[in-house]
Each structure stands twice: as C-alpha cells, then as structure tokens.
C-alpha cells in the first residue's frame, strides 16, 4: 500500500507482494506521487484490514503515523504539495 505521509491517504500498489519486491513497489509508489513524501506499507490480504498496515521500512503500524487517516477529516485542507499527480507517460525503472 502506498501512503502519502502528509495526509495518510493510501492506495494499493500490488495485491500480492513479498519483502523481496518491496523495493520495486516503493519505486512505483514514488513514481505515482512525485515530489510528495510517501512510504510503503503492507498487511495480510484478506485476513487484515488497512488499519493493520505496517511500514515496510520502520515496522511501525500505520495507526502510529502522525497523519494516519487525516485525509478523512472533513475539515482537513490538503496542501498543494500533498498530492499524487504523476506526469504523463511515467515509468518505473
């Protein structure tokens, strides 16, 4: 799961992956949100929900991220620097 650390918004990168593929998945995550800090998280599918995600780098739970679920707050105003707008025709190498 790709997580924008600025507001906790997340989206899937790969349905089935393994630690050996996390580097590839992180690069895809970065390519989808250029210029925005992102982190790769994972959880067991279908046994766990996204609130059980764990950082692939630090091992910290998503729920301990300061911005976890911030994007859900109806009063939250997302900064223009907190977005995922990849340029057209991007690719992961």
């Amino acid at each position: 799961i790709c997580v924008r650390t600025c507001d906790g918004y997340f989206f899937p990168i790969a349905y089935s992956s393994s630690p050996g593929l996390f580097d590839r998945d992180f690069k895809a995550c970065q390519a989808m949100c250029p210029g925005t800090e992102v982190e790769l998280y994972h959880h067991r599918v279908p046994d766990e929900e996204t609130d059980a995600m764990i950082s692939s780098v630090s091992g910290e739970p998503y729920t301990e991220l300061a911005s976890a679920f911030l994007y859900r707050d109806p009063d939250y105003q997302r900064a223009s620097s907190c977005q995922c707008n990849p340029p057209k025709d991007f690719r992961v190498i």
Side-chain angles (χ1 to χ4, degrees), residues 75-88:
D75 296 322
Y76 171 67
Q77 297 290 323
R78 187 177 70 223
S80 61
S81 61
C82 181
Q83 55 187 334
C84 295
N85 291 319
K88 291 183 179 184

Side-chain angles (χ1 to χ4, degrees), residues 11-55:
F11 55 90
I13 291 293
Y15 177 77
S16 179
S17 195
S18 65
L21 298 175
F22 285 170
D23 186 54
R24 176 205 66 184
D25 294 343
F26 179 65
K27 287 177 183 175
C29 180
Q30 287 179 310
M32 294 175 148
C33 293
T36 300
E37 184 178 304
V38 292
E39 192 166 339
L40 189 68
Y41 282 73
H42 62 92
H43 67 96
R44 289 195 172 114
V45 176
D47 301 329
E48 297 176 340
E49 295 296 324
T50 51
D51 61 352
M53 293 186 296
I54 296 174
S55 168

